[in-house]
Amino acid sequence: MRLSDLSNGEKGVICKVLGRGAFRKRITEMGFVKGQVVTVVKNAPLKSPIEYAIMGYNVSLRRSEAGMVEVLTEEEAAQLDLAGATTATIDEVLMRTAQAAGSVINVAFVGNPNTGKTSLFNQLAGAHEHVGNYSGVTVELKKAQVKLDGYTINLVDLPGTYSLTAYSPEEVYVRRYIAEEMPDVIVNVVDATNLERNLYLTTQLIDMDVKVVMALNMYDELEAHGDRLDHAALGRMLDIPMAPTVGARGRGMRELLLAIVHSYEDTGLPRPTRGAAAPPRRPAPLAATAGAPHHHIHIYYGAAVEEAIAALQLLLRSPQNSALPDRYSTRFLAIKLLEKDAVAADIVQAECANAADILATAKRRIADVEAEFKEDSETVIADAKYGFVAGALRETLRHGREDRHSRTRKIDNLVTSRALGFPIFLLLMWGMFYATFALGRYPTEWISRGVELLSRGLAAALPPSLPADLLVSGVINGAGSVLAFLPNILLLFFFISYFEDSGYMARAVFITDKLMHAIGLHGKSFIPLIMGFGCNVPAIMATRTIENRTQRRLTMLLIPFMSCSARLPVYVLLIGAFFPRHAGTVLFAVYLAGIAIAILSGLLFSKFLFKDKGQPFVMELPPYRRPSFGTLARHTWHKGGQYLRKNGLTILVASVAIWGLSTFPLQPHGERAPYEQSYLGQLGHAVQPALAPLGFDGKMSISLLTGVAAKETVVSTLGVLYRAEVEDDGSTARLEQRLRAERHPSGPHRGQPVFTPPTALACIAFILLYLPCVAAVVAIRRESGSRLIAAFTVAYTTVVAWLAAFAVQRVAAALM
Ligand code: GDP
Ligand code: MG
């Protein structure tokens, strides 16, 4: 409970003082420290200030200030079962419980992309990690809890940002998170091999006046290059505790946690050695630890800017704006105003009585600064920050001889070169798919065989009955098709993780970016689109790497047009039956047609639906790294597990549903309905009129319906309906014959063949384009967080498929 919530006469013990360093310092000087008992003397509803008795004095606090003090009330304490509570005085009990409550530390990870935040997070979280839901912006918040020596440390992995300007949604999000959630400690994760750039973000955290602990990650690489960093000295200079870490291998985790605890308890910097660091003191003498001095460094921005900051701070601190300085550092706000930061201006507008005065002053001061430096004020401030960083590093960092950057540059000259970039890229992608399917064939075969043996065995062992049929044809087959995809998916994810972790993926993004821009996307969409050729479901999941929500959703909408491998058997069947002499060409054209429709749709959507073009972004080219096998295995397994968890059930349910629809209603003697009379058959006949203009008969319509559950079921359904089972060796020759021989039994076309080459083409077009399988739709729903988008996908793809099939059928009929 917060102190401001207590009413007259109520008593509480202080557990924690939230907020920035300067605020905590002021309030602790007044006696509001952990473990102290406070009694409310006078709290008039909605009125500020509130009067309290503490340490034998009466003190008044503003309501906003009291709102930042966490207390434990007598009632709350009474609910806790404490040993010895009967003999101890209530104050003692309260004090002890407060101590326990005060040992919960809320920690947020902040840092540039690719610095290893998630790796560190996963190392610390171990098995406890769980993935949170989407928050307002485009990010997936990961939360976890770690226990250490009686402390409970809550971790949150925030999205990566280069800066805390109001430039991208991620930056605004991270900034708001810090101001509003007020984490007790921020862990600034930096790439120790790239401090010049990483410390820029740190300067902004310093401006914000929040408690920071720095994880000097990739410390292994720093050492490998022979660089020497005196991090103890750097830590003292920045007044930030430092912990060298290796996120990929879990080195330095305990030291990092200890640094967090020490920072939280204000017990000063832990000895920044790897190896044996001092154990944290128990939250010992309460009043003493909480009152520890807080000294905070400032970055010096030069006389003109500093004067402007001081002038703005004076206005921001005006007594009219009582609540503002508790939540935001006035220095931070002043600097942001001078950087022409829109979010800061909004905060001032919303919370300051003298907003007009402040904004006018900011404008005048900006003009002064710009006149003096002949530069944008943002640039002046950024230059000062870089100067600060360069200065701090010059004294503490010695570069070794090996220059990894030049090696990276050499590789980059090759793989991003104009002539060879694309060929190399295509070769690697081709290699990836080839290896995925070549290596995946064996385990997939074993699984299919195992499933078949199991279902045959069961069918033989069980007396023929409806439940047995459900088990064999519904459940086991469904589970089998889930598992059959797993080897391919794991392999694909393994290769993708390898490309990501080694740094090559960033180059792929780089070289495809221009291409993707043409359809309103950027390079990051390329990989999910390519993955769509394998299976749409993991492809849709892979859109998570796209930070911009609009682009992520746009990419998801286009993925279904990438012809997934489950559609291939259907093409093979139809092409084999009707175009045996041009099979390769037709197949290639099918894939190209899918890509063409995706491009056209992308143009259409980005023109009319998604106007937001997204910010231009830095396409950073991180240095190449040798991925560690452990990390690769974890990434792969994590993604594969997600596929199983999230889609396994859907596919299983769909398979059981199809079984039900094709079995019922039962015949008079209780046997299953013939296919055409089952509910599925009836449904097929019901939709048939809509498909008749495309030349599809009832059997085709039924088969297409079953394809909604999973595209590969179309072939087996056709086999059942045309009474030509697919043979044991997978040959569909007899089914091909049956398709060619099929005549319309009645109606205006009676006696004419059902399937003509134009109809077969229309059919292929329809299968290529019509709605993706249930699992893909569910994945879109989940990843976009929008039911509307999922519904739109279904409607859009169906309409496009119909129109395309219609056009194909007419054009082909006219030409042939
Ligand atoms: P994030 O974008 O900040 O979340 O970074 P990730 O956790 O995704 O890590 C980016 C890459 O750096 C991954 O390939 C990691 O395996 C790798 N990585 C993370 N920490 C370390 C480290 O300490 N040393 C080395 N050599 N690689 C690391
Ligand atoms: Mg991450």
Side-chain angles (χ1 to χ4, degrees), residues 134-155:
Y134 289 103
S135 46
V137 285
T138 66
V139 281
E140 190 187 10
L141 263 195
K142 277 192 184 169
K143 297 188 179 188
Q145 212 174 56
V146 186
K147 305 258 186 210
L148 179 85
D149 297 348
Y151 289 93
T152 301
I153 303 176
N154 292 318
L155 307 171

Side-chain angles (χ1 to χ4, degrees), residues 407-421:
R407 187 190 62 178
T408 290
R409 212 168 297 133
K410 266 184 215 148
I411 304 179
D412 274 347
N413 282 343
L414 192 68
V415 301
T416 62
S417 77
R418 223 170 268 200
L420 289 176

Side-chain angles (χ1 to χ4, degrees), residues 464-484:
S465 67
L466 219 49
D469 197 37
L470 167 65
L471 184 66
V472 173
S473 313
V475 178
I476 297 205
N477 272 343
S481 57
V482 176
L483 287 180

Side-chain angles (χ1 to χ4, degrees), residues 569-585:
V570 199
Y571 304 147
V572 170
L573 170 71
L574 290 170
I575 292 175
F578 298 98
F579 308 98
R581 261 179 293 151
H582 306 285
T585 317

